[in-house]
Amino acid sequence: MAIVVQKYGGTSVGDVNRMKRVADRVARTHRAGNQTVVVVSAMGDTTDELVGMAEKISDLPPGRELDMLLTAGERISMALLAMALHALEIPAKSFTGSQAGIITDGSHGRARIVDITPGRISGALDEGNVVIVAGFQGVSHDTKDVTTLGRGGSDTTAVALAAALGADVCEIYTDVDGVYTADPRIVPDARKLDRLTFEEMLEMAAQGARVLQVRSVEFGRNHGVPIHVRSSFSYQEGTWVVPEEDIMENAIISGVAHDTDDAKVTVQHVPDKPGVAADVFTALGEANVNIDMIVQNVSEDGTTDISFTMPHADVHRTRELLEGLAREVGARGVAIDDQVAKVSLVGAGMKTHPGIAAAMFKALSDAGVNIEMISTSTIRVSVVVAATDAERAVRAIHDAFDLSATPVEVS
Ligand code: ADP
Ligand code: ASP
Ligand code: MG
């Protein structure tokens, strides 16, 4: 008997009728003889609405209580879907992340899964149930408090469970029919990819293609779980994310991703001497802030500006720390610009094809987009631009590399 894990995102379970449609789809999978585990997100914009309520009550809600609140969204979905399956005479049982054995560390709002003990899930499957698990949540191994896995975390619940159960496939049902060469909402002629490698998907996800949460792709890669991203509104094949050895030919470019969740921080006029960067980034690391791009400019008076990007969401809680740090290292001050976006071109073929970065910068210049920062990896080129330029930049790059057309392949 095959084990299938399916994950349905917020739009797919957005109202009661959609929930019933999902139940029909799950019922088919169950009736076809599969052991079926379903991970659900909160309905529609529930998570945003819950965050909005918390923010109206407090500027900085305690992480523990925020997680308690947000996990409720997924619990609503899991119980309703179980009821919808019962109405179709399919035995089904729902479980919270904690009941499902999803054990995490204690970082509220961004917890990492450290272990999965899926005994109750296996038991319920063996009794012939469809098992429904609330996405995006777990329980801390030391405090025993409920945690959440970060926005988009239901993808990670699904792939991690698929890994723990040895599932044959993890299907991610969403509101687009697969992974595209760019966000299809911004580039209407973006092309759906049939397949891409974990490495390429990891890079696309890390650079903001929010169709899969980054950590879900890491789980897939580390445990060899094939991921099939597809639409919950059709029966068409979607996009398969698979190991490199399963792809005969690689496209040079996979796609363009963009991310508006980062802010650019500049520590201004820092004395140009050894140890300053170490001090700044050690303090940020200790505050659990993920730094992305870093650029240092030398000015004429023997001082430097250190600029870096970090998540918007962390700016508020680290502003005082940054200002304190600036004073300590003798800098003039700190400037924070949250109206920026990161636009990235991703492709495994870049390793062997020179000139990709140059062509990307030319496309941006032709579109009149100013580049504020640049960073690269072996399979990516990223730039920071003004937020107002982001969509234009994505379209210009997509056009310049002709990504709507069937790709030129390299072996
Ligand atoms: P869900 O609620 O199902 O988890 P998300 O909103 O998290 O859905 O992710 C799906 C969305 O990701 C799509 O609606 C699309 O706008 C966006 N997206 C961004 N980049 C891409 C891409 N390269 N391919 C497909 N979708 C993308
Ligand atoms: N409901 C959560 C969110 O909106 C988790 C998810 O949908 O994956 O981020
Ligand atoms: Mg999502």
Side-chain angles (χ1 to χ4, degrees):
M1 222 185 215
I3 303 179
V4 174
V5 176
Q6 301 184 330
K7 176 257 171 175
Y8 292 90
T11 314
S12 307
V13 293
D15 58 35
V16 171
N17 281 330
R18 287 188 174 170
M19 194 70 87
K20 286 184 182 170
R21 295 244 300 269
V22 166
D24 276 333
R25 194 162 195 138
V26 172
R28 285 188 193 219
T29 311
H30 172 78
R31 289 194 186 113
N34 299 295
Q35 289 204 311
T36 311
V37 176
V38 183
V39 173
V40 281
S41 290
M43 296 171 75
D45 295 330
T46 302
T47 309
D48 287 333
E49 286 160 13
L50 293 173
V51 170
M53 278 196 269
E55 284 172 349
K56 277 195 191 136
I57 285 183
S58 160
D59 272 353
L60 213 53
R64 180 185 186 279
E65 303 312 324
L66 192 58
D67 277 356
M68 212 57 149
L69 178 71
L70 298 189
T71 49
E74 270 67 12
R75 291 180 66 151
I76 294 173
S77 298
M78 75 179 193
L80 288 175
L81 182 59
M83 291 174 200
L85 283 161
H86 282 276
L88 298 173
E89 298 185 352
I90 305 270
K93 272 191 181 163
S94 66
F95 296 91
T96 64
S98 166
Q99 290 173 324
I102 307 217
I103 317 293
T104 71
D105 64 17
S107 336
H108 287 291
R110 62 170 88 192
R112 279 184 169 271
I113 297 177
V114 294
D115 194 14
I116 297 190
T117 50
R120 291 190 73 183
I121 297 188
S122 307
L125 283 174
D126 291 342
E127 287 164 9
N129 292 289
V130 167
V131 169
I132 303 163
V133 179
F136 157 74
Q137 54 186 274
V139 61
S140 159
H141 59 88
D142 49 19
T143 62
K144 308 290 181 253
D145 284 328
V146 164
T147 53
T148 61
L149 310 180
R151 298 306 302 265
S154 300
D155 299 331
T156 302
T157 305
V159 183
L161 271 176
L165 295 167
D168 297 78
V169 60
C170 182
E171 298 183 322
I172 304 287
Y173 285 95
T174 183
D175 54 6
V176 286
D177 4 293
V179 180
Y180 280 72
T181 48
D183 186 340
R185 294 182 203 287
I186 289 182
V187 182
D189 62 350
R191 184 171 43 83
K192 189 181 90 186
L193 301 164
D194 294 332
R195 284 171 162 242
L196 78 170
T197 66
F198 285 118
E199 294 305 326
E200 291 166 326
M201 188 65 235
L202 208 51
E203 203 67 72
M204 289 283 283
Q207 303 313 319
R210 71 172 193 281
V211 61
L212 284 177
Q213 200 199 33
V214 183
R215 284 186 196 159
S216 71
V217 190
E218 282 170 356
F219 264 100
R221 179 191 59 185
N222 296 348
H223 299 272
V225 181
I227 302 176
H228 187 186
V229 180
R230 55 194 307 196
S231 167
S232 62
F233 300 99
S234 85
Y235 280 87
Q236 265 182 38
E237 277 278 294
T239 301
W240 285 89
V241 187
V242 294
E244 194 161 355
E245 54 273 21
D246 291 1
I247 292 195
M248 301 298 286
E249 289 179 304
N250 269 333
I252 298 173
I253 305 291
S254 317
V256 187
H258 71 286
D259 190 342
T260 48
D261 289 341
D262 272 358
K264 181 174 120 185
V265 177
T266 305
V267 188
Q268 299 158 316
H269 292 262
V270 181
D272 191 9
K273 59 176 194 213
V276 173
D279 288 347
V280 171
F281 293 109
T282 304
L284 288 166
E286 281 165 1
N288 211 1
V289 178
N290 258 329
I291 302 297
D292 186 17
M293 293 188 197
I294 302 176
V295 172
Q296 182 169 324
N297 296 319
V298 181
S299 66
E300 282 165 9
D301 58 1
T303 65
T304 65
D305 281 351
I306 301 179
S307 295
F308 52 89
T309 56
M310 61 182 271
H312 261 183
D314 288 335
V315 167
H316 192 61
R317 77 180 172 92
T318 48
R319 192 180 283 268
E320 271 181 30
L321 170 82
L322 285 166
E323 283 164 358
L325 256 175
R327 276 193 300 276
E328 255 169 57
V329 299
R332 187 180 292 169
V334 176
I336 296 174
D337 180 358
D338 57 9
Q339 294 304 304
V340 294
K342 188 172 57 175
V343 179
S344 308
L345 184 65
V346 173
M350 272 182 207
K351 285 180 201 160
T352 46
H353 281 72
I356 303 274
M360 173 174 166
F361 301 156
K362 170 86 169 46
L364 291 170
S365 130
D366 290 348
V369 173
N370 186 42
I371 300 174
E372 297 183 20
M373 294 167 103
I374 299 173
S375 84
T376 60
S377 81
T378 46
I379 67 165
R380 167 180 64 81
V381 182
S382 300
V383 295
V384 169
V385 300
T388 45
D389 284 341
E391 297 195 0
R392 204 150 43 90
V394 171
R395 283 191 281 265
I397 299 168
H398 197 272
D399 260 9
F401 286 89
D402 207 11
L403 297 181
S404 316
T406 310
V408 181
E409 307 215 305
V410 289
S411 43

